[in-house]
Amino acid sequence: MPGTFFRPEGGLDGAAALSESSLAETSFAQTSLPEMSPPETSRPEMSPPEMSPSDQTALDVRSAPEFVDPARGGARIRGYQCENGHLNDPRSPTCRQCGAIIDERAGGLVAGQRPPLGRLVFDDGASHVVDGGYLVGRMPEVDDRVRTGELRPIILEDDVGAVSRVHAEIRVSGWDVMVVDTGSRNGTYVSGPHEGIWTALPPRRSRRLLPGARVRMGARMFVFESSSTVR
């Protein structure tokens, strides 16, 4: 009605209480507002750094140097061919068979049958071509890997009994030749080319053999001979 003045119940005290309540609700509403996160800024996608041809080749060799091709009779390996058609380790600057310089830009990586990687020449004159894996010891034929044909045996005569029945494995991994101690009783020792000391090989651990490396098992020894120029 015109001229009518509304007076809250409780007089001025009620009005003050109403005012305080309204302020409290307003304060609570203000403090309960969710915090706003700053807008995300889009970042440009970073492209991986470009790799040089030599770096890419090394990556290819490490990741998949060999593979199985049933259509072509089993294991094959990737490498570069020299001008005479010999397949070589991609890390080698020259052909291991004819010495020709390898131009990695000509033809690129090709797949083929892995050539022999060297020879194991023992102290008694025996020689074994490294074109696959071997198991070395006094009685390597007792091992299942020899029985199944996975590895070939190299029997070492040992008069003092320092060579274990299954002493060491010669393993071919890609373009590399490795020696692995199989947990022998007296250990396997390696002396690299131009080294004057023998280093014990930890059991079940492998070491890459460079051309000229010597391996000792008990009183027996062999030298790894290879024309590879990869060091």
Side-chain angles (χ1 to χ4, degrees):
M1 295 178 63
T4 302
F5 177 76
F6 174 77
R7 184 183 184 85
E9 296 181 3
L12 294 176
D13 292 339
L18 180 61
S19 176
E20 291 177 359
S21 174
S22 300
L23 289 174
E25 290 179 0
T26 303
S27 176
F28 175 78
Q30 290 177 347
T31 57
S32 62
L33 290 175
E35 295 183 359
M36 301 297 292
S37 301
E40 295 184 359
T41 57
S42 59
R43 297 181 179 179
E45 296 183 358
M46 300 297 292
S47 301
E50 295 185 359
M51 299 180 67
S52 66
S54 59
D55 289 341
Q56 184 62 53
T57 297
L59 178 62
D60 293 339
V61 172
R62 289 195 302 269
S63 59
E66 55 187 321
F67 60 97
V68 176
D69 184 0
R72 299 205 175 190
R76 294 169 69 77
I77 193 167
R78 294 180 176 90
Y80 287 126
Q81 284 184 330
C82 73
E83 60 186 16
N84 296 313
H86 302 135
L87 190 64
N88 286 272
D89 186 336
R91 299 166 297 182
S92 179
T94 58
C95 177
R96 64 188 304 142
Q97 291 182 252
C98 65
I101 296 177
I102 297 175
D103 185 359
E104 62 187 43
R105 296 168 298 179
L109 284 171
V110 298
Q113 184 177 2
R114 178 173 41 214
L117 300 181
R119 297 188 307 158
L120 309 177
V121 181
F122 283 81
D123 47 17
D124 60 358
S127 178
H128 301 268
V129 175
V130 183
D131 53 4
Y134 290 97
L135 200 57
V136 186
R138 286 189 296 108
M139 298 176 61
E141 66 276 8
V142 301
D143 192 279
D144 288 340
R145 291 170 294 176
V146 173
R147 292 173 179 171
T148 60
E150 178 184 350
L151 299 174
R152 290 167 291 176
I154 296 178
I155 300 174
L156 293 185
E157 300 292 339
D158 177 32
D159 296 333
V160 299
V163 176
S164 297
R165 294 191 304 169
V166 179
H167 199 108
E169 176 188 350
I170 303 300
R171 181 181 299 170
V172 174
S173 176
W175 287 94
D176 295 329
V177 179
M178 321 290 290
V179 58
V180 183
D181 182 86
T182 58
S184 62
R185 184 176 69 249
N186 294 309
T188 302
Y189 295 81
V190 181
S191 180
H194 312 298
E195 291 182 5
I197 59 173
W198 292 96
T199 303
L201 188 63
R204 314 293 178 184
R205 299 290 297 273
S206 64
R207 175 170 169 173
R208 179 183 169 218
L209 294 179
L210 297 176
R214 297 173 296 162
V215 177
R216 193 183 75 201
M217 296 164 286
R220 302 299 307 273
M221 186 188 72
F222 72 79
V223 178
F224 174 58
E225 295 184 353
S226 174
S227 58
S228 173
T229 57
V230 177
R231 296 295 183 267

